[in-house]
Amino acid sequence: MPLTLTIDGTPTPAPLGATIFNCAERASIHIPTSCLKNGKCKECVVEIAEGSSYLSEPTPFERHLTGNFRLSCQAAIASSEGRIQCHTMRRGHMRIERHALGLPGSGRPMELDPAVTRQAGRILIDGQEIDRSTGPIHGIAMDLGTTTVVLRLLDLETGELIADTSFENPQRFAGSDVMARIQYDTAHPGKLLRRTLAGYLTRAIQEFPVAPASIYEMVVVGNSTMRDLFFRQSVYSIGQSPYRSITELEMAEGKRPSTALTETGRRCLLPIHPKARVYGAPIISGHVGADAAAAMLAIDLAHEDRIVALMDIGTNTELILGNRHRILAASCPAGPAFEGGAIACGMPALDGAIEDVRLSEWGGPGYPPPSWVRLPSSRFLTVIGGGAPQGICGSGLVALLSELLRTGRMNERGRFEDDIHRIDLAPGIYFLESDVNELAQAKGANISGLRVVFANYGIEFDQAAVFYLAGGFGRHLDSSAAARIGLIPRIPEDRIVQIGNAAIEGATIALLSQSKRRELERLVRTVEHCRLETHPQFFDFFVDGCQFHPLESTSEAPV
Ligand code: FES
């Protein structure tokens, strides 16, 4: 069989000896570079999903890469037979559904109070002139996740959202979770992680429909490791007990008033105005980051009297519980499974991801909707962007697990029935029994965290007035499916509010309002960090959480 090469789902001619980069160029697939393909910039990373043995051996320029990652300018076709599948870091667009999110304040115009202002043609940050211009003033809110990076471009004078984009974090080559990134950065102190990300950010910013020099401020949120790497802080101390960020340690020593960070655009290697300010929102602790802090802003926790819960499911799941009088926060190292990582055909909730699945015997008037793809095997799928499926994202995985349980094809221990070990979803896209194990472990980590936080607060799940469910899911996360598999507690459905990416909402608020930014800095100082592993039932909670059954409203582990 002649060799076939597929890049990002596109079949591509692959002559012997050609590099993946050259093959991609011929197929008009863009791969970032700023070194003329000579191995120096390290930006052209691709992930080889299949067929790495048909490629040339890694070159010395690739010594920094692990796993299935290669530099596309170095990896050349070395066989005339076989099948190679690879993908660049995937990209997509978030859906902007602010009015549908159910956030406190959704639909209410926000009071604009940006740090960047204009006075008679002078552009000021905190009263200091940084430029003269009569053109528009823009800002960027960024959620820098371990798996996915989300950017929003806003007009700072009107609050109007102008554009948004998201892409897989290209730092994935250094491991899928924060501990792996910390180890990598410690072993390769040459700022490789930062440089690779800067290449992708530069491209994303240059593609926005405004002059980059009109961008005068950027607000960055993310977990403590991602944020501190971006700001060139050492992250070594986050990886060692007692797991504290440099900014926390400095604050404890009285060297800084807050864990927030600031830099200029130039020092952050970004193509925005060189004197632009880049503000890193404050973190809560070494493992409860600025993304969790931003989520508190998004749900207006500083003014909330009811006890509310927030679960932001990701590689590092963030948990918040409380009200304006008392707040507990925790993070669970759940791994990337619910963001599509470590799953054979998983991917983030970007274009091409299967975001919902229904198995057979589904029907009834008007169902399934016409936009669903019917497969020959009585399965129905929806795909983000409507194109051919390239993988399955978190919401699709939750739906699939729920459907497997509902139709009796999988038991509560996550074992498939009838000696089946693989379920085909679409051509080349499948789900393995071993994928269920990854999801079970991730669920166990999330649930043990949730149980400990509620137990420490001294309340049951059903005593939370609202359960905010956030995360990098697609639009179609079905909360009843999440409750069926026990990913969220079984509580009245009207109390579960899906808020999408709460971190980017909070970053947007902090970008548009200085007073909200100050409120956030005050709020994070009041948060009690809850250490999960110190709870005596933590392990029991974890074991039970790995089972696929509903999570009842009790904080005790079943005996
Ligand atoms: S293009 Fe720069 S390292 Fe490959």
Side-chain angles (χ1 to χ4, degrees), residues 31 132 136 147 159 221 244 264 278 331 404 408 472 520:
I31 296 181
R132 288 179 178 251
T147 306
V221 305
R244 305 187 85 187
T264 61
V278 184
S331 75
L404 290 170
L520 176 62

Side-chain angles (χ1 to χ4, degrees), residues 143-149 167-181 221-227 229 291 314-318 335-336 339:
D143 173 24
L144 180 49
T146 316
T147 306
T148 312
V149 181
F167 54 90
E168 272 184 296
N169 188 332
Q171 297 170 328
R172 286 179 59 233
F173 70 79
S176 59
D177 59 36
V178 294
M179 293 314 258
R181 303 272 170 94
V221 305
N223 65 57
S224 307
T225 302
M226 292 299 106
R227 188 204 69 155
L229 279 172
D291 47 358
T315 305
N316 220 40
T317 292
E318 319 279 3
E339 292 186 291

Side-chain angles (χ1 to χ4, degrees), residues 21 31-45 61 71-74:
F21 199 125
I31 296 181
T33 171
S34 53
C35 78
L36 303 174
K37 302 184 270 182
N38 61 20
K40 292 199 176 140
C41 75
K42 317 294 186 203
E43 292 173 14
C44 65
V45 178
F61 292 109
L71 289 182
S72 59
C73 71
Q74 304 295 304

Side-chain angles (χ1 to χ4, degrees), residues 6 38-39 93 166 171 208 222 295 303 306 333 392 405 437 463 537-538:
T6 308
N38 61 20
H93 287 271
S166 56
Q171 297 170 328
F208 277 147
H303 303 102
R306 303 168 300 171
I392 181 165
L405 270 181
N437 293 340
Q463 287 175 271
Q537 282 188 286
F538 176 72

Side-chain angles (χ1 to χ4, degrees), residues 354-377:
I354 296 170
E355 61 175 345
D356 204 353
V357 180
R358 293 287 183 271
L359 300 182
S360 57
E361 87 241 22
W362 196 271
Y367 204 92
S371 60
W372 286 61
V373 178
R374 177 166 194 152
L375 300 172
S377 50

